[in-house]
Amino acid sequence: MYYKLPRIEYYRPKTLEEAVRLLEEVEGSKVIAGGTDLLVDMKTSRAKARALVDVNSIAELRGVEDLGEVVRIGAATKLQELLESPIISENLPLLRAAVESMASWQIRNMATIGGNLCNASPAADTAPPLLAYEAELVIAGRGGLRTVPITKFFTGYRRTALSPTEVLKDIIVRKSEWTGWGYIKLGRRGGFTLSVVAVAALARVRDGVIEDVRIALNSVAPTPVRAYRTEEALRGREVSRDLLEKVARTVVDEISPIDDVRSTAWYRREMSYRLALDALTEALGVK
Amino acid sequence: MVVEDPRSIVKRWLEAESLLVVGKSVERADSIEKALGRARFVEDFFEEGYLVARLVLAKVPHARLRAIDYSRALGVPGVARVLTYRDVPGENQVGYAIPDQPLLAEGKVRYCGEPVAIVVGRNPDAVNEAVELVELDIEPLPALLDPLEAMERRDVLVHDSLGSNIAFRTRVRKGDVEEGFSKADVLVENTYRTHHQEHAYLEPEAALAIPDLENRITVLATIQYPHLGQRIVSRVLGTPASYVKIVAPYIGGGFGGKDDEGPLVAARAALAAYHLRKPVFLYYTREDSIQTHPKREAAVIRYKSGASRDGKLTAIEVTIIHDTGAYANRGPFILWRATMHSSGPYYVPNAKVDGYCVYTNKVPQGSFRGFGNPPIHFAVESQMDRLAEKLGMDPVEFRLANMLRPGSETLTGQVLESSVGVHEALRRLAAASSWRTKRQEYERSRTGRFRRGIGAAVAWHGNSTSRGVPDWSNAYIHVARDGSVSVYTGIVEMGQGSPSSSHRQLVAEILGCPADKIRVVFGTTDAPDSGATHASRGTSVGAIGIVVAAGRIRSRLESFLSEYYNVERERIRMSGGQVVVDGEVRMSWEELVALAYTKGVDLSATGYFFLPKGAFNDDVGQGFAYPAFSFIAVIAEVEVDTCTGGVRVLEVHPALAIGRVINPEAVKTQVEGAVLQGIGYALMERLVFSPEGRIVNDNLTDYVIPTSHEVPVIRDPIFVEDLWEFGPFGAKGVGEMAFIPMPAAVANALSHALGARITELPLTPERVYSVIKQISGG
Ligand SMILES: Cc1cc2nc3c(=O)[nH]c(=O)nc-3n(C[C@H](O)[C@H](O)[C@H](O)COP(=O)(O)OP(=O)(O)OC[C@H]3O[C@@H](n4cnc5c(N)ncnc54)[C@H](O)[C@@H]3O)c2cc1C
């Protein structure tokens, strides 16, 4: 009973415009989606807010849509909806794999994809796949909409490009002919766990040659990160076990892990290599 | 003739044949209530308008406490009072084994998380705010965090008046170890380290204290021994025990933690209610709970053992060091138990064992399922595997060759005449688990990324308190005129299903009445003192009193019936709610009771039973240690990912020698829970301390425990019913058993998979991975 929310004002706007207006006008207000990060933080005084603007009733923030060239995911879409969406399974299997590794059924029915990104934990599980897909984030604010590539969204430890009066509206992913993918998450137990390290890999291989490849990791730096140099070293090369084993090592130079209660920097470096190798093996279809 | 003598009654039911209720997998009496969320726990008794209280915890590990300034806290609107050691009307002393622990810090603080004050207010917001405003005027002192260092230091003392940081010592001297080692053909010597474990019960500590008109006080608390709570509250308040009533409603898990902290949370709530004369609800947040309450023993164990070529142990030499933290708490008892079990369930002719219970400025060590035995068994059973390996013997064969049997002498020289079924348990287990085949199969396939291993571990665990420490059982049973039966016991229900269910089975069997007529009133000081619900005793020692009380009433009824029908007692049967004479149903249970009421038969009885014990010589650690031992053998199969160091337990095969199995299904659930908790301890649970000795991961995000993902295949246990002469129908304890060998079994299976041994717990992926790198030269 001590984990009580402080007294707060609560708003549940029906439109995005109203939400933005409330964030502007109500002092100390904050967006709440599923509340699975925010409410826990507020109850333990890690986060403070005087008022909450609940975005769950804003219809345009919900749902997954196939728009032909791109897939649009409303920021307030529940993680469980993503798991159950055929559009996601078909077009964004890497994202699906990451969501599948997250939390529990109960939490996934509350938690949203936008909340996972905006919370900007270094361990956020939807970040590596979306970094790999190079998703575009549509943000609503006073001046209307703006678009930020996800690669520019995370600006520091639990910090994002959002201003306090902005709302993340959509996550847009351009469809592309990826031939393989792999998401590997290492936690401290078999499930229902934050990652020690997770690696997402996406690849397009033609005639044994790596046309394109993307690699992203979480929990190994202040923000989820891409491993650009490793990607570069693979692009245009012929797929082989040898190449992978040699090149996967370079991810270690692209991260800056720390010791914390979950693990050590040393082990995270070792595992970044191992998981990158495994994820790439799957993505590239290496025998 | 009516039989009232406790020993004769216990004997009669031990020998009883054709049992109808005992030994059956009876459904739990509380399952529906709990599934529907109707079962009430302490917090569910909170009513609007009660005062709420929270602890102020020390934020430094070691300091002189010059003054406590709570003037600012009192200024918060809604705060009613702040209590410190000055407000204790009786004794500010709650040490269980050694009088070293204050209820609220006085003179010094000795660990980060030590309770210093209690803030009472009208709402949690006010209390939360005020807790942060209590200021301690302190003079910091150097903190001791490492027990090995603390043992040697005299310049820094956790308890100034004791002159040393060693709180308690134990020893065993048996035979001549030098000679024993000289006869050995192989020697194995290792240092083992084990770590703290957090109980992580679903329900953190809470107590609701309600004063009444006559200055008496009732405390509902998360507590494993209501009568101990009564003693502690009465000591702290300076009131007679009879003025204090303790009730343990349903408890959301205990595992020993609420045996230590339960009486203290009750006393702190009672103290507040005493001063404020209003109901006060004291509740620990998860963080407060983890910071404050005692943890599983962190141990350093040096172990040397020798064996002869023919596979017989010749000697052991053991040093056990327990980090007891800031207070001895039950540390001396834990060390005693670890010491007297340090041979494992094996015969060793020569032994030298020394135990040290050492103070440090960390959270105290306390009771936790297994009570000192999991770490020592981790050491013993690792040693046994290494010895077998050096001798070129199969680890199971080597164990069997040294195992205790009826008539064997234990480490303390106690001869166990009966109830020693462990040899048979391990033999049957090895066969049922295809031990040999799998052992060879896994050895052959020790290549590739994923490797499997299979390991065995055996454990013993003394029933009842150690040595001559008095232990008893008691209960009160009353049959109402309508034939319904009330059973009063101090044993609590904390998830294990006894007393709510197993005690009911015992009474139904003995009285022959329908089970649904029986109500068990548990966890209350209104019942006779039945002892604690700890040490696996709820349905063993704790239920002997049930057998005696019910046995008395049964005997009176039989006597009455024999006169009434003028037949010998042997011709009367009472079971299933019927009285049968010579095979003919004569009346129902209800009719019998109604009749008995009109004929002067006393249908109320208590069932006091005092356990007979023997002598023990502390100088040499020889003599009577325990009235009986429970035994378990487990075989575990693991798979290790050699690229990450991740270990998964795939399958666990248990075999138990625990006397009569009252309820096989209930035993199975105890085994499953303990196996999983043991896997958590062995593989992932780890408290992280800051350089100042503060627990960093004081929440369940950062302190991980296993989930359903970690549940291996757990085979149905093999039972060897090696009846114990004093147990209810011959039952021994089971609650802790499966935990004890788990860390060892997992470690042995992992060693088998890797071909390398790790002597420090937990076997986290980091640790396993670094060993793999070492052996592969990476
Ligand atoms: C038991 C448990 C297990 C978990 N397991 C995992 C796991 O395995 N992997 C993982 O990555 N996470 C995990 N989480 C964390 C959490 O569930 C996710 O991060 C979730 O996606 C957060 O979404 P939400 O809708 O609940 O966010 P909220 O808590 O509602 O919000 C989080 C933050 O984002 C902001 N925000 C939310 N939506 C918007 C928006 N549309 N525009 C602007 N700002 C916004 C909020 O203001 C807040 O700061 C777990 C949490 C719990 C409690």
Side-chain angles (χ1 to χ4, degrees):
Chain A
M1 66 189 282
Y2 286 110
Y3 297 103
K4 279 195 25 183
L5 278 182
R7 271 192 169 285
I8 43 156
E9 289 167 30
Y10 175 77
Y11 301 90
R12 200 178 170 103
K14 289 252 169 15
T15 64
L16 198 52
E17 294 68 44
E18 208 185 331
V20 171
R21 189 179 52 78
L22 284 164
L23 288 170
E24 296 250 319
E25 289 173 4
V26 183
E27 203 195 299
S29 59
K30 230 177 158 55
V31 173
I32 181 166
T36 62
D37 276 317
L38 187 59
L39 293 182
V40 178
D41 285 353
M42 286 177 71
K43 286 179 182 181
T44 54
S45 318
R46 215 160 79 121
K48 296 222 177 333
R50 269 199 56 248
L52 294 180
V53 176
D54 185 334
V55 295
N56 288 295
S57 296
I58 304 172
E60 56 184 315
L61 252 62
R62 296 291 290 267
V64 180
E65 265 183 293
D66 186 342
L67 300 177
E69 299 270 288
V70 300
V71 172
R72 187 197 72 88
I73 304 168
T77 307
K78 302 293 181 189
L79 296 178
Q80 190 63 24
E81 291 173 45
L82 298 180
L83 265 190
E84 291 165 9
S85 156
I87 300 173
I88 298 291
S89 308
E90 204 170 299
N91 299 289
L92 310 177
L94 176 63
L95 176 63
R96 190 185 186 283
V99 173
E100 200 169 19
S101 82
M102 290 175 73
S104 60
W105 180 82
Q106 289 90 335
I107 298 286
R108 287 195 302 267
N109 271 295
M110 292 300 290
T112 65
I113 183 168
N116 190 241
L117 295 176
C118 296
N119 189 57
S121 157
D125 275 309
T126 64
L130 292 174
L131 280 166
Y133 283 124
E134 297 193 340
E136 304 260 292
L137 306 183
V138 181
I139 295 168
R142 179 180 7 204
L145 301 179
R146 66 183 177 113
T147 301
V148 175
I150 190 167
T151 47
K152 299 234 158 61
F153 184 69
F154 302 111
T155 54
Y157 177 70
R158 301 199 68 167
R159 292 214 328 263
T160 68
L162 280 180
S163 86
T165 58
E166 286 180 315
V167 177
L168 176 61
K169 179 178 174 287
D170 296 318
I171 294 125
I172 308 282
V173 184
R174 186 153 299 280
K175 289 189 194 170
S176 182
E177 292 275 300
W178 299 107
T179 54
W181 53 274
Y183 189 73
I184 304 194
K185 172 173 170 179
L186 188 73
R188 285 182 297 165
R189 59 185 168 204
F192 199 50
T193 182
L194 294 176
S195 69
V196 165
V197 188
V199 179
L202 209 50
R204 185 164 54 246
V205 178
R206 277 218 220 293
D207 305 327
V209 174
I210 305 170
E211 268 190 15
D212 198 4
V213 63
R214 310 253 178 89
I215 305 163
L217 303 88
N218 72 18
S219 293
V220 288
T223 66
V225 290
R226 275 277 290 273
Y228 292 109
R229 276 182 280 156
T230 311
E231 294 172 7
E232 204 41 57
L234 291 168
R235 228 168 259 136
R237 307 282 297 271
E238 226 167 86
V239 175
S240 80
R241 180 95 216 147
D242 273 2
L243 170 76
L244 267 194
E245 282 184 11
K246 218 176 302 143
V247 174
R249 277 264 168 234
T250 52
V251 293
V252 178
D253 304 328
E254 303 194 65
I255 57 176
S256 50
I258 55 165
D259 288 351
D260 63 13
V261 294
R262 267 180 282 149
S263 188
T264 62
W266 167 77
Y267 185 68
R268 284 190 162 114
R269 270 192 294 273
E270 293 284 315
M271 289 308 110
S272 295
Y273 159 66
R274 167 52 53 188
L275 268 52
L277 187 61
D278 290 350
L280 285 167
T281 303
E282 275 184 36
L284 298 170
V286 179
K287 292 281 145 8
Chain B
M1 190 202 60
V2 177
V3 182
E4 298 279 337
D5 164 50
R7 290 258 204 135
S8 311
I9 293 171
V10 166
K11 187 157 184 288
R12 168 178 174 186
W13 295 101
L14 175 78
E15 290 165 358
E17 280 164 18
S18 59
L19 303 175
L20 281 180
V21 193
V22 163
K24 304 288 186 302
S25 286
V26 175
E27 189 191 315
R28 285 180 63 142
D30 55 356
S31 46
I32 293 290
E33 247 182 309
K34 285 183 174 165
L36 295 179
R38 287 192 193 133
R40 297 222 282 169
F41 297 79
V42 174
E43 190 177 342
D44 297 320
F45 293 88
F46 179 81
E47 299 275 343
E48 208 54 50
Y50 287 179
L51 293 168
V52 293
R54 192 171 164 191
L55 301 178
V56 177
L57 307 181
K59 292 195 170 73
V60 292
H62 198 193
R64 249 171 246 302
L65 183 57
R66 285 194 292 240
I68 304 168
D69 177 5
Y70 49 81
S71 50
R72 285 176 62 217
L74 284 178
V76 175
V79 168
R81 179 135 187 187
V82 178
L83 299 147
T84 68
Y85 70 91
R86 288 176 186 277
D87 300 296
V88 174
E91 277 182 81
N92 185 31
Q93 180 49 254
V94 294
Y96 295 121
I98 297 175
D100 64 357
Q101 186 175 355
L103 183 72
L104 294 170
E106 180 173 353
K108 248 184 155 188
V109 296
R110 297 185 176 88
Y111 74 99
C112 286
E114 174 165 8
V116 178
I118 306 167
V119 175
V120 192
R122 276 181 280 282
N123 62 71
D125 288 345
V127 168
N128 281 343
E129 191 183 335
V131 160
E132 301 299 327
L133 299 175
V134 175
E135 283 162 40
L136 309 189
D137 176 7
I138 54 160
E139 175 194 330
L141 295 167
L144 296 173
L145 302 179
D146 175 12
L148 298 183
E149 184 196 343
M151 276 176 88
E152 307 298 331
R153 295 280 288 262
R154 305 233 162 222
D155 55 328
V156 181
L157 293 173
V158 179
H159 293 271
D160 307 289
S161 64
L162 299 180
S164 152
N165 290 315
I166 299 173
F168 186 75
R169 289 170 198 235
T170 52
R171 59 188 349 225
V172 171
R173 296 291 181 271
K174 183 183 191 199
D176 180 341
V177 283
E178 292 315 317
E179 200 192 308
F181 285 128
S182 73
K183 285 192 188 140
D185 296 300
V186 294
L187 290 177
V188 171
E189 197 168 354
N190 278 309
T191 300
Y192 299 90
R193 284 168 203 272
T194 69
H195 57 304
H196 290 95
Q197 186 181 22
E198 158 61 30
H199 301 76
Y201 14 69
L202 206 51
E203 178 199 30
E205 296 83 348
L208 172 61
I210 308 170
D212 78 2
L213 287 174
E214 290 143 74
N215 265 330
R216 288 178 307 207
I217 199 158
T218 299
V219 189
L220 280 75
T222 54
I223 189 168
Q224 291 179 230
Y225 188 4
H227 292 82
L228 176 62
Q230 184 182 46
R231 258 187 285 156
I232 299 279
V233 171
S234 115
R235 184 177 185 185
V236 166
L237 297 186
T239 55
S242 59
Y243 276 55
V244 177
K245 171 174 169 174
I246 308 278
V247 178
Y250 282 128
I251 296 174
F255 312 115
K258 289 170 182 171
D259 200 18
D260 296 336
E261 197 65 20
L264 310 191
V265 68
R268 290 177 186 129
L271 178 68
Y274 171 96
H275 284 288
L276 289 145
R277 294 170 184 276
K278 285 197 179 119
V280 175
F281 179 66
L282 171 66
Y283 182 86
Y284 291 11
T285 61
R286 180 63 66 185
E287 291 80 2
D288 288 354
S289 170
I290 294 181
Q291 293 288 349
T292 303
H293 81 246
K295 305 287 181 275
R296 173 179 305 289
E297 59 280 348
V300 179
I301 299 167
R302 298 193 192 102
Y303 209 118
K304 178 178 173 186
S305 31
S308 55
R309 205 167 293 120
D310 60 349
K312 290 280 198 273
L313 288 166
T314 60
I316 59 168
E317 187 171 353
V318 190
T319 307
I320 306 168
I321 297 158
H322 279 175
D323 176 355
T324 200
Y327 296 102
N329 182 36
R330 284 190 167 89
F333 308 144
I334 298 168
L335 180 66
W336 207 89
R337 188 168 275 268
T339 306
M340 303 315 157
H341 287 84
S342 63
S343 58
Y346 308 108
Y347 172 70
V348 284
N350 307 292
K352 178 169 180 278
V353 189
D354 290 282
Y356 302 87
C357 175
V358 183
Y359 289 121
T360 58
N361 294 110
K362 296 218 292 280
V363 67
Q365 163 189 310
S367 317
F368 199 147
R369 206 175 207 168
F371 206 72
N373 263 336
I376 195 68
H377 280 80
F378 170 58
V380 172
E381 292 296 276
S382 297
Q383 291 285 111
M384 292 300 280
D385 259 27
R386 281 291 289 137
L387 286 168
E389 200 179 317
K390 281 197 161 182
L391 288 165
M393 281 179 79
D394 174 88
V396 165
E397 290 306 320
F398 176 59
R399 282 175 172 83
L400 287 172
N402 290 281
M403 196 154 275
L404 297 175
R405 296 164 181 254
S408 299
E409 189 189 278
T410 67
L411 172 66
T412 69
Q414 180 181 353
V415 176
L416 302 179
E417 296 298 352
S418 61
S419 194
V420 193
V422 61
H423 195 276
E424 183 186 337
L426 180 59
R427 250 190 314 114
R428 283 172 54 189
L429 182 68
S433 63
S434 313
W435 161 262
R436 258 172 200 290
T437 336
K438 283 188 169 163
R439 186 103 182 150
Q440 286 163 6
E441 182 191 319
Y442 295 162
E443 255 156 57
R444 275 197 304 272
S445 53
R446 247 199 225 151
T447 51
R449 174 169 176 172
F450 294 94
R451 295 184 200 165
R452 289 194 177 186
I454 182 167
V458 189
W460 62 330
H461 194 64
N463 281 225
S464 177
T465 44
S466 307
R467 294 168 283 184
V469 176
D471 194 10
W472 61 82
S473 189
N474 208 346
Y476 167 70
I477 299 182
H478 169 71
V479 184
R481 288 191 79 143
D482 66 350
S484 62
V485 183
S486 300
V487 180
Y488 286 81
T489 173
I491 297 301
V492 309
E493 169 56 57
M494 47 189 178
Q496 81 279 35
S498 119
S500 54
S501 306
S502 62
H503 287 196
R504 214 181 181 199
Q505 275 178 277
L506 299 175
V507 174
E509 184 74 56
I510 295 174
L511 292 184
C513 66
D516 59 10
K517 291 258 163 195
I518 302 165
R519 180 171 77 113
V520 182
V521 182
F522 54 82
T524 168
T525 49
D526 282 352
D529 184 346
S530 326
T533 311
H534 65 195
S536 308
R537 74 192 283 293
T539 306
S540 58
V541 178
I544 307 175
I546 303 275
V547 171
V548 173
R552 283 179 173 155
I553 295 173
R554 164 83 180 232
S555 178
R556 291 172 200 164
L557 285 170
E558 280 174 346
S559 223
F560 161 70
L561 285 168
S562 151
E563 260 175 54
Y564 187 76
Y565 288 118
N566 196 18
V567 296
E568 298 89 66
R569 298 176 64 136
E570 290 67 38
R571 290 163 55 192
I572 304 162
R573 293 190 34 147
M574 294 167 59
S575 60
Q578 289 174 331
V579 175
V580 177
V581 180
D582 293 336
E584 192 187 321
V585 177
R586 294 298 183 88
M587 60 174 118
S588 69
W589 162 257
E590 290 77 9
E591 285 163 340
L592 168 63
V593 170
L595 186 65
Y597 258 87
T598 65
K599 301 286 182 186
V601 183
D602 180 4
L603 295 184
S604 303
T606 55
Y608 184 69
F609 187 90
F610 190 74
L611 271 180
K613 297 207 166 178
F616 193 86
N617 179 345
D618 276 315
D619 293 334
V620 289
Q622 293 292 290
F624 179 96
Y626 298 97
F629 290 86
S630 291
F631 300 94
I632 184 165
V634 297
I635 286 177
E637 296 178 54
V638 305
E639 182 174 83
V640 55
D641 178 345
T642 55
C643 290
T644 63
V647 177
R648 264 190 340 127
V649 180
L650 304 174
E651 208 165 321
V652 173
H653 311 255
L656 293 145
I658 50 165
R660 177 97 58 194
V661 176
I662 307 284
N663 183 334
E665 189 58 32
V667 170
K668 244 173 80 176
T669 61
Q670 283 300 304
V671 169
E672 286 168 3
V675 161
L676 195 60
Q677 205 168 32
I679 289 174
Y681 183 60
L683 295 183
M684 68 188 75
E685 294 183 42
R686 189 171 67 98
L687 280 179
V688 180
F689 290 88
S690 72
E692 296 77 42
R694 183 176 190 283
I695 295 170
V696 178
N697 49 346
D698 61 357
N699 59 68
L700 298 178
T701 303
D702 294 331
Y703 184 87
V704 293
I705 59 173
T707 71
S708 52
H709 288 271
E710 276 68 41
V711 180
V713 173
I714 303 172
R715 298 286 171 198
D716 280 350
I718 291 169
F719 294 124
V720 177
E721 294 198 287
D722 52 350
L723 304 188
W724 171 38
E725 58 178 329
F726 299 127
F729 292 81
K732 298 188 281 186
V734 69
E736 297 162 281
M737 291 313 295
F739 192 110
I740 301 169
M742 274 316 290
V746 171
N748 285 345
L750 178 62
S751 303
H752 183 235
L754 291 179
R757 182 159 295 276
I758 302 178
T759 57
E760 183 168 356
L761 297 177
L763 304 167
T764 55
E766 285 93 328
R767 179 165 284 141
V768 174
Y769 180 72
S770 70
V771 169
I772 292 168
K773 286 217 96 172
Q774 272 165 33
I775 51 181
S776 65

